[in-house]
């Protein structure tokens, strides 16, 4: 016997179809009707039911089949309905936003800003951290340089002998090549000094790169006699040879000697960085070089399949151990410094890039909070509309969905604008790098960036829209409809807005602290006393070709003549030169020996920077002589040569004693070599880029050590030192037209360039912090203004009761300051907690230095007062009578 | 009442019978069952349950639609009616059935063995 469907279930159908009870009703009706019919045909009552049931069949089985059909049908209908309701929601949202244009545009602007900043940061992260290098399987490429374990030098040059051992004895690499820097003068019509590299024949195959025209080097060309072949960069080929493919096979003049061009490398390839040409690494004369002669940039190897980085490093270190045993003097403290190619090229960019990503994300969050705030206010304004719709039967879920569609629409529109802006802005990365974007980085947006932008947009919609949507749909319909437009704001809601604004202020405090810290670091860099003058000094480098300047006296007379000619130019006060000027990256060092072996013992020798200089080098850079005398051109005695040392060396080698008259030599004291007498001590000046400190240094007179390269240091009174360049070139041309001037820059520029990272960091974070503060201020302004509008009656009453206008203004400003104080306090606590994150980026100033926080607090308070002035004035201008009368 | 021998219904035939039954206007499930039974003189063995299974399936397929309304006795019942697609389906199936039946009859009614 089937149960009758309880009546109350029927009323549930009002809320939507109920498959189960419908079926039950239908079958029940059938059975009742059939029974009735059977009875009418003459069947007795009791057996009529049994017959009806029999004629029906297995009720449960059929009920099941019907139910399945029905559920499929209902599900399909529901899907179609939701799709159509989404379109309806979207259209409604579009109309609603169009009506409230001010809100829509403000929200759009906030979102676009946040998404733009995030996309730019993410594009940078993608290009620097995620995208592979332009080599096949780049994660299998390792760079090998030298590490001095006792002194902690990393990335130092390698020796050819070490390289040969690594290459021949390793079991981890399928191939390994060596390379080093090379600069040559290339003459085709004009003479130009260019940067290039000499590479072993297997280096490019190891990287996985081949020439687009011609061929790579062959091992036979790695001997001096056969190494007069050249590979050109694509850019050079375009620039100087007009992309003429017949250049392959022709000869051009390199350092005065003919070299044959055998190929052109692919476009954009400039290994290791900005190279314009490549030559074979000739090693036939290096066979007897000792292991300690570390003069070559490095080696690159490709891991065998299945070998891990750790295994390869351990493998090389075991070879190092063997070499340390066999050659203790040269190899005891040295070991292979193994890194992945990616880590080598971009390791030091990792931290700042991630900091930018974090900062960009904070700006996005602040923007979202602003939009959430705007949506909350809008929700309050639309209370009546929502209440009416709810009373007319809209389900809460539907209302929520409609509001979310609105925020998704806003987020999408603003997000697309912002993402496009962000991807475009990344192109400005070009200007960030001092020598342009390195060839192994591409900042063009790719799929990952686009996907990231979409994710960000959706996140924004959710974060900014969820809370307001929930708040707006949670209302007491009756109360709202009764009270009309004066429908008060619930306490919960205004607390939510306050929390948002305080959160924004906290986050912008965090960013501002970061920005100020980086700015102070940058200034600390810039203001560091480098020990030499920067202003009004032009530098330019000259390298003499070997063949025509084999005779050492010719070299001296060349530079002497050149310096005399340049000094004679109007506006030039002093001209000197050195083998490598500060901040040029050029460096040589050697262990020193002294008559007293205890000064530089074999287990802790004094390693000193040394170079040959023309005497006026020191006055040209403004470096003071502390004691003794300067070098002079008459210091030509090769039997009793002289040197000048710096204060560091004086303190280290002769503590408490007078170094003048003491002697030193290069190499251990017991080995043959001339003894140099110390005749003068100069003040320390920084030769290495910051933050590396200066160490001991020895300066030899050029007349005693005629290096092939010298960098001219020209002190001038001219406003623009670069104006001297054509004149200097002309003077050079007069003396020897085969020689080119290169690496021309003022000392100011050289130093400023070395700070490009710190400058960029402080600029970017400064911009982010500025945007954050702007957004937070807008948010606070909105909240306070709204509060003033809501409390008009109360203000009116106060004024009517005799309160002074200034008191009312003070009330408003105090409210703003209270918000700011809370936000700043939270922000400062957060920054102190996160100090460890940016500590590595901060220089010269403690990350918890109170001055920073004081400045940030003052800035935010000042900005708060300024932004609350407007609503404060509006509050003071309220007409008490009108305010109390208004409904 | 004992039933005379009933023929098992060919697959798909029930669908076309239901569609035809509804072609004269909306009916509830019981009325359709009665109509089919009466018009075919009870020749077919049709379980009422399978009729409902067909009706619900055809509603899912879009050939019929249902509405709740009051029966002639004043009781609440689910009425089915043909959709445009249902009408087309009926026409198509009827044509197929006639062709099928015609072809079968042609051979079965042949008196002389065909050449």
């Amino acid at each position: 016997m089937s149960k009758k469907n309880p009546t109350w279930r029927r009323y549930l159908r009002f809320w939507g179809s109920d498959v189960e009870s419908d079926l039950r009703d239908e079958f029940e009706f059938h059975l009742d009707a059939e029974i009735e019919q059977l009875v009418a045909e003459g069947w007795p009552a009791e057996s009529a039911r049994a017959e009806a049931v029999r004629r029906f069949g297995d009720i449960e089985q059929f009920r099941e089949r019907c139910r399945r059909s029905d559920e499929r049908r209902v599900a399909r209908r529901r899907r179609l309905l939701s799709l159509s309701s989404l379109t309806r929601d979207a259209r409604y949202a579009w109309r609603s936003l169009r009506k409230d244009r001010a809100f829509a545009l403000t929200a759009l602007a906030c979102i676009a800003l946040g998404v733009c900043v995030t996309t730019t940061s993410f594009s940078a992260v993608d290009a620097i951290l995620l995208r592979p290098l332009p080599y096949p399987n780049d994660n299998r490429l390792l760079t090998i340089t030298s590490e001095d374990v006792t002194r902690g030098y990393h990335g130092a040059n390698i020796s050819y002998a070490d390289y040969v051992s690594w290459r021949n004895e390793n079991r981890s690499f399928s191939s390994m090549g060596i390379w080093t820097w090379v600069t040559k003068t290339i003459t085709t019509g004009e003479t130009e000094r260019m940067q290039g590299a000499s590479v072993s024949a297997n280096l490019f195959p190891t990287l996985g790169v081949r020439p687009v025209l011609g061929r790579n080097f062959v091992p036979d060309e790695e001997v001096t006699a056969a190494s007069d072949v050249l590979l050109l960069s694509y850019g050079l080929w375009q620039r100087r040879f007009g992309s003429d493919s017949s250049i392959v096979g022709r000869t051009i003049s390199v350092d005065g000697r003919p070299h044959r061009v055998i190929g052109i490398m692919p476009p954009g390839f400039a290994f290791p960085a900005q190279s314009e040409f490549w030559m074979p690494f000739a090693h036939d004369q290096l066979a007897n070089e000792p292991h300690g002669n570390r003069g070559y940039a490095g080696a690159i190897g490709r891991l065998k399949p299945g070998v891990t980085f750790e295994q390869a490093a351990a493998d090389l270190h075991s070879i190092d151990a063997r070499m340390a045993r066999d050659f203790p003097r040269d190899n005891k403290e040295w070991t292979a410094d193994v890194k992945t190619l990616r880590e080598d090229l971009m390791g030091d960019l990792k931290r700042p890039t991630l900091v930018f990503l974090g900062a960009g994300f904070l700006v996005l969050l602040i923007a979202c909070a602003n939009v959430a705030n705007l949506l909350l206010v809008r929700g309050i304004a639309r209370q009546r509309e929502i209440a009416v719709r709810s009373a007319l039967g809209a389900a809460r879920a539907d209302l929520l969905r409609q509001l979310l569609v609105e925020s998704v629409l806003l987020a999408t529109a603003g997000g697309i604008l912002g993402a496009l802006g962000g991807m475009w802005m990344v192109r400005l990365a070009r200007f960030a790098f001092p020598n342009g974007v390195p060839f192994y980085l591409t900042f063009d947006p790719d799929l990952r960036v686009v996907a990231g932008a979409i994710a960000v947009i959706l996140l924004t919609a959710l974060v900014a829209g969820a809370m307001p949507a929930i708040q707006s749909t949670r209302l007491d319909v009756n109360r709202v409809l009764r009270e009309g437009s004066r429908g008060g704001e619930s306490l919960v809601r205004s607390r939510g807005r306050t929390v948002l604004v305080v959160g924004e202020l906290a986050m912008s405090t965090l960013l501002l602290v970061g920005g100020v810290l980086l700015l102070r670091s940058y200034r600390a860099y810039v203001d560091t006393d480098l020990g030499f003058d920067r202003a009004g000094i032009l530098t330019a480098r000259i390298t003499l070709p070997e063949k025509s300047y084999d005779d050492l006296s010719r070299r001296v007379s060349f530079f002497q003549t050149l310096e005399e000619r340049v000094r004679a130019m109007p506006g030039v006060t002093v001209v000197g030169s050195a083998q490598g000027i500060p901040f040029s990256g050029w460096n040589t060092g050697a262990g020193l020996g002294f008559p007293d072996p205890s000064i530089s013992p074999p287990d802790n020798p004094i390693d000193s920077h040394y170079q040959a200089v023309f005497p006026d080098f020191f006055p040209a850079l403004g470096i003071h002589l502390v004691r003794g005398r300067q070098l002079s051109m008459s210091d030509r005695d090769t039997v009793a040569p002289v040197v000048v040392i710096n204060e560091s060396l004086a303190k280290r080698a002769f503590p408490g004693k007078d170094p003048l008259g003491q002697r030193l030599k290069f190499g251990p004291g017991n080995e043959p070599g001339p003894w140099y007498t110390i005749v003068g001590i100069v003040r320390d000046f920084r030769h290495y880029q910051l933050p590396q400190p200066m160490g001991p240094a020895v300066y030899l007179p050029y007349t005693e050590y005629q290096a092939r390269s010298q960098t001219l240091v020209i002190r001038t009174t001219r406003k623009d030192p670069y104006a001297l360049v054509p004149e200097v070139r002309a003077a050079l041309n007069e003396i020897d037209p085969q020689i080119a001037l290169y690496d021309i820059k003022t000392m100011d520029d050289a130093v400023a360039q070395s700070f490009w990272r710190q400058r960029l960091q402080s600029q970017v974070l400064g911009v982010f912090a500025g945007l954050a503060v702007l957004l937070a201020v807008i948010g606070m302004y909105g909240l306070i203004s709204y509060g003033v509008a809501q409390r008009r009656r109360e203000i009116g009453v106060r004024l009517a009761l005799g309160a002074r206008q200034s008191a009312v203004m003070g009330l408003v400003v105090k409210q703003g300051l209270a918000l700011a104080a809370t936000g700043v306090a939270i922000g400062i606590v957060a920054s102190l907690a996160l100090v460890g994150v940016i500590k590595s980026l901060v220089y010269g100033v403690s990350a918890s230095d109170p001055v920073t926080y004081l400045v940030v607090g003052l800035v935010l308070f000042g900005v708060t007062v300024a932004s609350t002035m407007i609503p404060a004035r509006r509050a003071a201008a309220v007409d008490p009578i009108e305010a109390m009368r208004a409904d | 009442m004992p039933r005379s021998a009933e023929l098992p219904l060919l697959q798909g035939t029930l669908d076309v019978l239901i569609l035809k039954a509804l072609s004269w206007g909306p009916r509830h499930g019981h009325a359709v069952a009665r109509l089919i039974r009466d018009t075919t003189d009870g020749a077919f063995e049709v379980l009422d349950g399978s009729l409902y299974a067909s009706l619900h399936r055809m509603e899912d397929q879009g050939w019929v639609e249902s509405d709740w309304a009051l029966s002639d006795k004043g009781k609440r019942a689910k009425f089915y009616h043909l959709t445009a697609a249902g009408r087309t389906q009926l026409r198509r199936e009827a044509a197929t059935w006639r062709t099928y039946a015609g072809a079968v009859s042609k051979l079965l009614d042949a008196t002389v063995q065909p050449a």
Side-chain angles (χ1 to χ4, degrees):
Chain A
M1 287 238 181
S2 64
K3 238 184 348 174
K4 265 225 188 268
N5 211 5
T7 336
W8 62 269
R9 283 209 76 180
R10 312 228 181 112
Y11 291 101
L12 283 177
R13 225 175 271 124
F14 185 71
W15 272 263
S17 61
D18 180 357
V19 167
E20 292 279 358
S21 52
D22 274 3
L23 259 181
R24 202 170 273 148
D25 285 355
E26 191 179 11
F27 283 13
E28 219 172 85
F29 173 84
H30 175 94
L31 286 172
D32 288 345
E34 184 69 10
I35 292 171
E36 215 177 290
Q37 186 91 18
L38 287 172
V39 164
E41 285 171 5
W43 284 71
E46 315 78 34
S47 39
R49 174 158 278 273
E51 176 64 12
V53 170
R54 191 195 68 85
R55 288 188 185 185
F56 198 92
D58 184 344
I59 295 187
E60 282 318 310
Q61 184 211 50
F62 287 121
R63 193 207 305 279
E64 185 57 31
R65 281 167 64 179
C66 290
R67 198 174 55 77
R68 248 181 278 142
S69 300
D70 285 350
E71 277 177 358
R72 263 204 309 271
R73 179 173 53 86
V74 166
R76 198 179 333 121
R77 176 118 57 94
R78 208 173 281 148
R79 275 197 305 272
L80 285 169
L81 208 68
S82 66
L83 194 66
S84 74
S85 64
L86 269 179
T87 5
R88 199 175 46 233
D89 286 341
R91 238 180 299 183
Y92 187 85
W94 168 246
R95 277 204 318 266
S96 161
L97 286 172
R98 251 218 338 228
K99 259 195 298 183
D100 202 348
R101 233 170 285 219
F103 157 80
L105 287 173
T106 316
L108 220 74
C110 285
I111 295 176
L113 206 67
V115 173
C116 178
V117 160
T118 316
T119 313
T120 312
S121 315
F122 189 66
S123 300
V125 167
D126 178 61
I128 292 173
L129 300 180
L130 298 176
R131 213 185 284 230
L133 297 172
Y135 305 121
N137 286 336
D138 70 297
N139 55 344
R140 307 295 292 164
L141 288 170
L142 302 186
T143 61
I144 304 156
T145 49
S146 297
E147 180 185 340
D148 183 337
V149 192
T150 42
R151 279 191 211 98
Y153 298 156
H154 287 266
N157 287 352
I158 61 176
S159 65
Y160 182 71
D162 279 357
Y163 159 73
V164 168
S165 301
W166 289 327
R167 187 193 60 198
N168 295 346
E169 296 171 33
N170 86 83
R171 287 165 308 178
S172 323
F173 293 93
S174 59
S175 70
M176 190 191 293
I178 187 172
W179 67 275
T180 194
W181 303 97
V182 131
T183 334
K184 299 265 182 210
T185 311
I186 299 192
T187 313
T188 48
E190 330 160 12
T191 306
E192 209 179 313
R193 187 86 186 161
M194 291 184 204
Q195 181 91 291
S198 79
V199 299
S200 55
N202 66 351
L203 186 78
F204 288 161
T206 305
L207 286 175
V209 187
R210 318 162 47 153
V212 289
L213 228 61
R215 63 165 177 86
N216 189 21
F217 303 125
V218 294
D220 288 343
E221 285 163 341
E222 288 180 7
V223 293
T224 321
S227 66
D228 51 354
V229 287
L230 208 60
L231 278 171
L232 299 180
S233 77
Y234 199 86
L236 181 61
W237 181 53
Q238 278 183 321
R239 247 181 340 129
R240 283 286 212 92
F241 304 102
S243 308
D244 176 14
S245 54
S246 69
I247 184 66
V248 177
R250 286 206 293 197
T251 60
I252 58 180
S253 163
V254 175
D255 264 5
R257 284 177 32 241
H259 284 61
R260 197 165 36 121
V261 176
I262 59 164
I264 313 287
M265 294 307 284
F269 182 73
F271 175 88
Q274 299 139 38
S275 288
E276 309 237 46
F277 68 92
W278 295 271
M279 297 179 58
F281 186 88
H283 56 74
D284 52 324
Q285 300 181 351
L286 304 179
N288 294 322
E289 266 197 6
H291 283 258
N293 192 357
R294 297 191 162 83
Y296 309 102
I300 294 186
R302 188 175 272 279
L303 287 173
K304 280 198 187 130
V307 178
T308 67
F309 174 85
E310 290 75 20
Q311 289 171 331
D315 188 10
L316 289 180
H317 288 150
S318 67
I319 302 174
D320 290 329
R322 200 268 306 153
M323 291 197 286
R325 277 197 309 273
D326 293 346
F327 308 98
R329 207 188 48 193
D330 287 340
N331 287 61
K332 199 160 59 108
E333 311 156 346
W334 293 88
T335 177
D337 191 358
V338 188
K339 284 201 227 163
T340 62
L341 185 59
R342 182 179 209 99
E343 171 72 26
D344 186 55
L345 292 175
M346 301 197 282
D348 58 350
L349 287 177
K350 211 192 308 191
R351 183 65 76 92
T353 311
L354 288 174
V355 168
F356 286 169
L357 187 67
F361 211 66
L362 278 179
V363 174
L364 180 70
L365 279 180
I366 296 178
C368 286
N370 257 0
V371 174
N373 242 323
L374 287 168
L375 283 171
L376 276 174
V377 174
R378 202 161 118 84
I380 296 169
R382 291 169 79 187
Q383 267 189 350
R384 273 207 106 186
E385 171 205 333
I386 295 175
V388 167
R389 289 173 69 195
S390 176
L392 285 178
R396 177 136 186 248
D398 292 330
L399 288 170
L400 244 157
R401 191 185 55 221
Q402 199 267 310
L403 287 175
L404 279 175
V405 164
E406 207 174 278
S407 38
V408 167
L409 221 67
L410 270 176
T412 314
I416 291 180
L417 272 173
L420 289 173
M423 290 192 230
W424 179 85
M425 284 245 275
V426 154
R427 300 236 214 103
L428 299 178
R430 257 188 308 130
F431 300 108
F433 294 91
N435 294 314
V437 175
F439 78 97
Y440 43 81
L441 282 181
T442 343
F443 280 98
D444 290 333
D446 68 350
L447 221 61
R448 249 190 311 261
V449 171
V450 171
I454 293 177
V456 161
I457 291 173
L458 288 176
L459 190 75
T460 309
L462 224 67
V463 166
M467 200 247 284
I470 296 174
Q471 288 278 42
S472 302
T473 51
R474 184 195 298 164
L475 38 69
D476 181 351
V477 175
N478 282 323
R479 188 174 60 80
V480 171
L481 288 177
R482 233 184 308 131
E483 286 185 19
S485 61
R486 237 201 323 118
E489 192 183 329
S490 80
L491 197 60
V492 174
R493 196 167 327 186
S494 65
R495 208 182 309 146
R497 296 191 62 205
T498 312
V499 164
L500 280 175
V501 169
V502 167
E504 289 181 38
L505 287 165
M507 287 190 278
S508 29
T509 305
L510 193 62
L511 282 177
L512 204 57
V513 165
V516 170
L517 275 176
L518 287 183
L519 188 68
R520 292 183 71 192
S521 302
Y522 174 62
R523 286 242 59 94
Y525 260 93
V526 170
D527 292 340
T528 310
D529 179 16
L530 302 171
F532 58 86
D533 293 340
R534 284 183 246 176
I537 299 176
L538 179 71
T539 70
R541 197 159 168 80
I542 291 168
T543 301
L544 301 174
E546 268 188 64
K547 265 184 53 190
S548 35
Y549 287 87
D550 246 343
D551 179 1
L552 300 179
S553 59
R554 268 205 76 188
R555 297 184 187 183
V556 177
S557 65
F558 169 85
F559 281 114
Q560 219 170 350
T561 320
L562 181 60
E563 284 184 16
E564 277 167 21
R565 297 257 173 102
V566 174
R567 196 176 313 126
M569 292 178 193
V572 174
T573 49
V574 193
V575 180
S577 68
Q579 237 181 318
I581 56 169
F583 283 68
S584 60
W586 181 93
N587 186 30
T588 25
L592 298 179
F594 297 86
D596 175 3
S598 68
I599 295 178
S600 182
D603 60 341
N604 186 19
I606 299 180
D607 272 333
S608 170
H609 163 84
Y610 72 91
Q611 57 167 310
V613 302
F614 269 82
D616 277 347
F617 167 69
F618 298 109
L621 273 183
I623 298 164
H624 296 292
L625 184 72
V626 174
R627 294 197 56 205
R629 69 164 177 87
Q630 284 277 21
L631 299 169
S632 82
M633 291 304 290
S634 48
D635 287 321
R636 292 166 185 266
D637 194 347
T638 45
V639 174
V642 298
V643 288
V644 159
I645 65 173
N646 71 353
E647 283 177 308
S648 282
L649 182 55
K651 261 184 265 194
R652 174 97 188 269
F654 307 104
K657 294 202 290 252
D658 181 9
L660 295 180
Q662 300 279 2
R663 294 184 301 158
L664 57 80
K665 70 161 22 155
F666 296 97
N670 52 1
E671 284 197 352
W675 285 98
Y676 294 81
T677 312
I678 300 172
V679 296
I681 305 171
V682 287
R683 180 142 293 156
D684 278 358
F685 63 95
R686 283 191 188 259
H687 179 85
Y688 312 113
Q689 294 193 359
L690 293 174
Q692 208 177 339
M694 189 54 188
V698 178
Y699 304 97
L700 303 97
Y702 191 81
T703 37
E704 286 170 8
Y705 183 63
Q706 297 83 0
R708 266 199 315 131
S709 302
Q710 286 284 292
T711 304
L712 289 178
V713 180
I714 307 167
R715 200 186 188 88
T716 174
T717 51
R718 295 231 199 145
K719 276 253 189 64
D720 176 22
Y722 287 107
L724 281 173
V725 173
E727 297 172 38
V728 175
R729 279 219 167 96
L732 182 59
N733 216 30
E734 273 174 42
I735 305 176
D736 186 344
Q738 287 290 338
I739 301 179
L741 211 60
Y742 64 103
D743 265 358
I744 302 165
K745 48 173 95 115
T746 61
M747 214 54 220
D748 250 336
D749 284 351
V751 171
Q753 250 181 38
S754 75
F755 300 151
W756 73 271
R757 269 197 207 93
Q758 286 73 22
R759 189 167 47 240
L760 180 69
Q761 277 165 201
S762 68
Q763 281 169 341
V764 172
L765 209 58
V767 166
F768 282 16
L771 286 175
V773 169
L774 181 69
L775 285 171
V777 161
I778 292 177
M780 182 166 50
Y781 170 83
L783 183 69
I784 305 263
S785 303
Y786 187 80
V788 164
Q790 288 295 93
R791 295 163 68 188
R792 282 190 77 216
R793 286 190 91 208
E794 177 200 331
I795 296 170
V797 169
R798 277 180 197 259
L799 288 170
L801 286 180
R804 293 228 306 276
Q805 286 193 325
S806 55
V808 168
M809 282 177 70
L811 208 74
V812 176
V813 173
K814 249 195 301 184
Q815 193 189 2
L817 284 176
L819 287 174
T822 323
V824 168
I826 299 176
I828 289 182
V829 166
S831 351
L832 286 171
L834 293 173
V835 137
V837 171
I838 52 171
K839 210 197 284 255
S840 58
L841 300 177
V842 171
Y843 167 86
V845 68
S846 159
S848 43
D849 177 25
V851 171
T852 311
Y853 298 97
L854 206 68
V855 166
V856 167
L858 283 174
V859 165
L860 280 169
F861 282 161
V863 150
T864 302
V865 168
S867 73
T868 50
M869 269 321 218
I870 303 172
R873 275 226 292 266
R874 215 184 297 145
V878 162
D879 179 357
I881 300 175
E882 200 207 318
M884 286 192 286
R885 197 190 307 148
D887 190 54
Chain B
M1 252 174 237
R3 287 211 166 254
S4 53
E6 288 156 0
L7 303 164
L9 208 54
L10 292 167
Q11 190 176 26
T13 315
L14 183 56
D15 282 3
V16 74
L17 291 178
I18 295 174
L19 288 175
K20 182 67 181 181
L22 291 176
S23 68
W24 288 298
R27 254 165 242 275
H28 54 68
H30 182 253
V32 172
R34 273 283 154 174
L35 183 74
I36 290 176
R37 193 166 288 141
D38 295 343
T39 322
T40 59
D41 294 328
F44 291 116
E45 156 200 303
V46 183
L47 289 175
D48 294 333
S50 57
L51 190 108
Y52 278 97
S54 280
L55 274 168
H56 282 244
R57 182 177 32 80
M58 288 197 289
E59 190 178 14
D60 186 24
Q61 282 168 311
W63 296 337
V64 302
E65 271 175 9
S66 63
D67 282 301
W68 285 88
L70 294 178
S71 70
D72 52 354
K73 298 258 172 53
K75 295 239 182 74
R76 222 171 136 268
K78 199 177 203 188
F79 282 76
Y80 292 87
H81 61 269
L82 281 183
T83 62
R87 260 177 231 287
T88 315
Q89 181 67 10
L90 172 60
R91 259 200 307 277
R92 211 183 295 135
E93 291 254 339
T96 311
W97 175 250
R98 284 194 196 95
T99 316
Y100 174 80
V104 171
S105 317
K106 212 154 157 210
L107 182 57
L108 286 181
D109 294 337
T111 46
V112 180
Q113 182 184 354

